[in-house]
Amino acid sequence: MSRKPQTQKMTCLFVMAMTAALQPSAPLLAATAAQTEVATAVSAHVHGEYYCPMHPQERSDKPGRCPICGMFLVKDDAPEASQPDATPPAASVDKDTNAAQDEGKTYSCPMHPEVVSHEPGRCPICGMFLVEQAPNVAQQQLEHAGHKHDASMEQPSAAASTSAINSDAEHEHKLVAQSDSGGSGTIKYVCPMHPQIVSDTPGTCPICGMNLEKVELGGHQDEVQVNVSGAMQQALALKVAKAHHQTMWRYVDTVGEIDYDQSQITHIHSRVSGWVEKLTVTSAGDKIKQGQLLYEIYSPELVNAQDDYLLAADSLKQRGSNSRNSELLRKAQTRLELLGISRDQIKLLEQTGKTRYRVPFYAETDGYVTSLNIRDGMYLQPATEVLSMVDLDKVWVIADVFENEQSWLEVGQPAQVSIPAMGIKDLEGKIDYIYPELDPVTRSLRVRVVLDNPSIKLRPNTLAKVSIFGGANKDALVVPQEALIQTGKDNRVVVKTSDQGFVAKPVTTGMMSRGQVEILTGLNAGDEVVISGQFLLDSEASLKGSLMRMSAAQPQEATDAKNHH
C-alpha cells in the first residue's frame, strides 16, 4: 500500500482546486455529487481501488488482505455506482451500457452469505459493502434464500460462495466438509468463528480471515484434541492437577437438628376423677425435681379407697392375723397404689389413721415441663393429660444424609457435632440408630446420634453440623472434584496431552469425598486434568458440541450436500 506524504498533499490540493472550479460560489463544506465523485476517483487512483470492509482507511491498488484484521480487500465501485445528474450524452451511453452489463449480476455480504442482492450496496445486518458473486455461486445463494434449506446444506454453500470471492484464496485453502475416509489420527484445520470451514492444510478463513485452528481427530471420535497456545492458557488462567492414588475416607458432612430424647419424655395423667385443689406448676418450661409436689386433688374415689384400707387394717388388728384379714389388707393397699398413692403416703395413712380429702401427687423424676393442660379448680378425668415433662440429660441429633451416601453408614460409627450458634465444637457421639426409610420429598436418610447433655447447653430444635466418619477406600485413583464436568448423562474431564494439546475424555466416577472424586475408568495415574479457568465452562459446549459434531456428523452432512448438488 502506498502512503507517501508528498502524494497525499498533492491529492488534497488537486481536490480543493477541482472543488473550487466546479462550485465557486458554494461553501467548501457543501460538496455536490460531482465533487464527491471527483474526490473519490482521485483517492482511489492515488491510494488504490481496493479497501478493507472493516477498516476503510486501508486501501491498496491490487487485491490482498487487510493488515489489521486479515479480511479480504474488496474493489471500490463507488465512482461507477454514483454518477452526477448532469452528464454528457457519452456518459449516458456508457451508463446504459454498464447497466446492461450489470444485468444478471448478484452481490452478497462476505460476513453474511445469506444476504443476496441484484444491486451493489451495503449489508443490512453489518453494514459491509456487498461484493459481486460468480454466476453459479449467485444462483446457489438465490436458491438457498428462496427455499430456506436446512443448516446441513447451508454450510457447504457458504464455503463454496466464499471460496469464489477470491481465486487466490481458492488455491490457498483446500476446503472440505469432512474427510470421507474415517481413518484414525487425521488432522484438520477449522475456523473458530465458522466451524463449517474445514481445511486439510493450515491457512486463514476465507470468510473472516482468522487463522484456522489445528484439530487432531484421534482413533475414537470422542477424543478430539484442541491446541491452545501458551499465551492463551495464561490469559484463561488454566491450572492442571495430576491424577494419583491415595486413600479416601468415607466422610459425610451434613446438618442436623437437636431433638428430645423421646425415651425420657413422661406424660402424667390422673387415674381418678376429681377437682384440682392446688397446682404448684405455673407454666411450660418450668424445671421439676424428683419428689416435688405437682398438684393436690379431691376425689371421692380416693376417699373411699383410703376408708377401705383403714377398715381392713382395723379388722386385722381386732380379729388377729389370719389369711382372710391379711388378704383384705393387701388388696386395699394394692388398690391405693394403682390409683397413684405412693407407699410412703400409705404408711402415713396407716400411722395417722385419718383419711386425707386433698390427696397430693409428687414428681417421680427430674425434668422440664413441655406442656401444662390444667389449672386450679379444673375437673380432671383419667383421659385428661395433666402435664408432660422431659429429661434433658441426654438429647438426640437427627441428621439428614444424602441418598448416595447411605451405604457408608453403620450403627456405632463415630460422629462429631458442632453448634455454631452457641460456639460449641466437636462434641463426640456415635450413630445410635439408622431410620429404615428415606424422606420421599428430600430423598435423604435420617440417622440419630445420641449426646450427653449434663449441663443442659444443648437445646432442642437448634441446628447442628454433623460430621460422620466411615471406613477407608484404599488405593483409589483420585482427581480434584472441580475437574469433573457433569452433563447429567455422563461425566468428562479435560486432559492435557501436551504443552498445547487438550483432550476431553469421558470418565466413570466412584466415591466423592472432601473435594476429591474417585475415577474408576477413563484416566491413568499421572494424567494431568484441567481444574480451573473459564475454559472449563466454555469448552464443555465447544468440545462436546462443535468439535464432536464436526468429527461425527459432518461426513453425513457432506454426503447430503453432494446428493443435493
Side-chain angles (χ1 to χ4, degrees):
M1 298 183 182
S2 56
R3 291 173 175 241
K4 296 182 179 181
Q6 185 176 2
T7 304
Q8 295 179 353
K9 293 180 179 179
M10 295 295 295
T11 302
C12 294
L13 293 175
F14 180 76
V15 171
M16 295 175 62
M18 294 297 298
T19 303
L22 292 174
Q23 296 288 342
S25 61
L28 182 61
L29 296 179
T32 63
Q35 297 171 355
T36 304
E37 177 185 354
V38 171
T40 305
V42 172
S43 177
H45 177 75
V46 176
H47 297 286
E49 58 181 348
Y50 294 91
Y51 70 98
C52 173
M54 294 297 294
H55 303 86
Q57 71 274 13
E58 298 296 334
R59 307 185 69 92
S60 176
D61 56 354
K62 58 183 179 180
R65 291 180 178 272
C66 174
I68 300 177
C69 62
M71 295 187 64
F72 292 110
L73 301 180
V74 297
K75 189 175 181 180
D76 189 356
D77 296 331
E80 300 178 1
S82 60
Q83 295 291 339
D85 296 336
T87 55
S92 300
V93 174
D94 294 340
K95 181 177 180 181
D96 296 338
T97 304
N98 293 336
Q101 293 178 355
D102 290 341
E103 292 182 358
K105 290 186 178 181
T106 306
Y107 302 86
S108 67
C109 175
M111 293 297 292
H112 302 87
E114 68 274 11
V115 178
V116 182
S117 175
H118 291 287
E119 297 179 358
R122 291 180 177 270
C123 174
I125 300 177
C126 62
M128 294 179 60
F129 288 104
L130 302 182
V131 297
E132 181 181 351
Q133 300 296 306
N136 58 342
V137 177
Q139 182 65 26
Q140 294 177 3
Q141 289 188 343
L142 289 174
E143 180 182 357
H144 167 75
H147 295 85
K148 295 184 179 180
H149 290 298
D150 55 6
S152 62
M153 300 301 303
E154 181 182 350
Q155 294 178 354
S157 176
S161 63
T162 53
S163 63
I165 295 175
N166 196 309
S167 59
D168 295 336
E170 183 177 0
H171 293 291
E172 181 181 358
H173 305 286
K174 298 178 180 180
L175 301 179
V176 293
Q178 179 67 19
S179 178
D180 294 336
S181 60
S184 61
T186 60
I187 297 178
K188 299 294 181 183
Y189 297 86
V190 184
C191 174
M193 294 296 294
H194 304 86
Q196 70 271 21
I197 304 300
V198 185
S199 176
D200 292 325
T201 58
T204 56
C205 175
I207 299 178
C208 61
M210 295 184 65
N211 293 328
L212 301 182
E213 294 289 341
K214 180 180 178 182
V215 176
E216 181 176 353
L217 305 181
H220 300 282
Q221 291 185 348
D222 55 353
E223 293 187 2
V224 181
Q225 179 168 327
V226 179
N227 292 333
V228 181
S229 63
M232 184 61 67
Q233 293 182 33
Q234 292 182 357
L236 297 177
L238 295 184
K239 294 182 181 180
V240 297
K242 289 186 177 181
H244 61 282
H245 290 276
Q246 73 174 35
T247 299
M248 294 185 68
W249 290 90
R250 292 180 173 88
Y251 174 79
V252 180
D253 191 8
T254 182
V255 295
E257 188 177 22
I258 299 177
D259 197 0
Y260 295 115
D261 184 349
Q262 296 183 8
S263 62
Q264 303 297 320
I265 297 177
T266 303
H267 297 274
I268 300 177
H269 288 256
S270 173
R271 298 186 180 184
V272 295
S273 299
W275 289 264
V276 178
E277 297 291 339
K278 182 180 181 180
L279 179 65
T280 61
V281 181
T282 58
S283 64
D286 289 353
K287 185 177 180 180
I288 297 175
K289 294 184 178 181
Q290 185 178 6
Q292 176 181 336
L293 175 64
L294 299 179
Y295 62 94
E296 293 181 353
I297 185 175
Y298 165 70
S299 172
E301 188 176 355
L302 284 179
V303 173
N304 294 334
Q306 294 180 75
D307 292 339
D308 292 343
Y309 178 79
L310 294 176
L311 182 59
D314 292 340
S315 177
L316 182 61
K317 291 180 180 179
Q318 295 177 2
R319 300 180 183 180
S321 177
N322 54 47
S323 57
R324 180 177 176 81
N325 293 334
S326 299
E327 183 65 18
L328 290 175
L329 183 61
R330 187 188 66 80
K331 289 182 178 181
Q333 180 178 352
T334 304
R335 182 186 177 189
L336 289 176
E337 292 177 355
L338 294 176
L339 292 177
I341 305 300
S342 64
R343 291 190 177 182
D344 293 338
Q345 291 176 298
I346 295 175
K347 290 181 179 180
L348 181 61
L349 176 61
E350 184 179 357
Q351 293 175 0
T352 59
K354 294 181 179 180
T355 301
R356 303 189 63 175
Y357 292 94
R358 298 173 59 175
V359 181
F361 287 88
Y362 301 91
E364 298 181 357
T365 59
D366 295 340
Y368 290 85
V369 177
T370 58
S371 64
L372 180 64
N373 301 316
I374 64 171
R375 288 294 183 264
D376 287 332
M378 287 183 62
Y379 177 76
L380 297 183
Q381 291 180 337
T384 305
E385 181 183 74
V386 177
L387 58 86
S388 62
M389 55 185 296
V390 63
D391 188 1
L392 294 179
D393 288 341
K394 287 185 178 181
V395 294
W396 288 353
V397 179
I398 308 299
D400 293 324
V401 178
F402 290 118
E403 182 178 2
N404 61 334
E405 297 173 342
Q406 59 180 321
S407 60
W408 300 2
L409 305 177
E410 293 181 359
V411 175
Q413 282 182 340
Q416 287 184 348
V417 180
S418 300
I419 314 296
M422 302 180 65
I424 300 175
K425 298 181 179 180
D426 300 336
L427 297 178
E428 299 293 336
K430 292 183 178 181
I431 295 180
D432 177 67
Y433 184 71
I434 300 176
Y435 288 81
E437 63 180 10
L438 274 70
D439 190 309
V441 177
T442 62
R443 306 301 305 169
S444 60
L445 180 68
R446 295 190 303 163
V447 298
R448 186 174 73 202
V449 178
V450 179
L451 294 178
D452 293 330
N453 189 28
S455 57
I456 318 298
K457 289 184 177 181
L458 305 180
R459 296 181 175 88
N461 300 323
T462 304
L463 293 179
K465 295 181 64 176
V466 183
S467 301
I468 303 174
F469 302 91
N473 183 9
K474 298 182 179 179
D475 198 29
L477 181 63
V478 300
V479 296
Q481 192 169 346
E482 55 264 28
L484 193 64
I485 301 176
Q486 297 175 314
T487 64
K489 296 182 179 179
D490 55 5
N491 298 316
R492 302 195 312 273
V493 294
V494 179
V495 181
K496 186 176 183 180
T497 57
S498 61
D499 291 341
Q500 298 183 0
F502 297 88
V503 173
K505 291 185 177 182
V507 294
T508 304
T509 60
M511 185 175 70
M512 296 184 184
S513 177
R514 312 194 83 170
Q516 301 288 328
V517 56
E518 179 186 11
I519 303 299
L520 301 179
T521 59
L523 289 180
N524 298 318
D527 289 347
E528 294 184 337
V529 297
V530 181
I531 62 172
S532 68
Q534 189 68 17
F535 174 76
L536 284 177
L537 302 177
D538 296 339
S539 66
E540 179 179 354
S542 62
L543 290 176
K544 185 64 178 177
S546 62
L547 297 180
M548 296 297 296
R549 286 193 297 268
M550 179 196 66
S551 61
Q554 281 192 1
Q556 183 63 32
E557 295 178 358
T559 303
D560 296 341
K562 291 180 180 179
N563 295 336
H564 175 72
H565 291 292

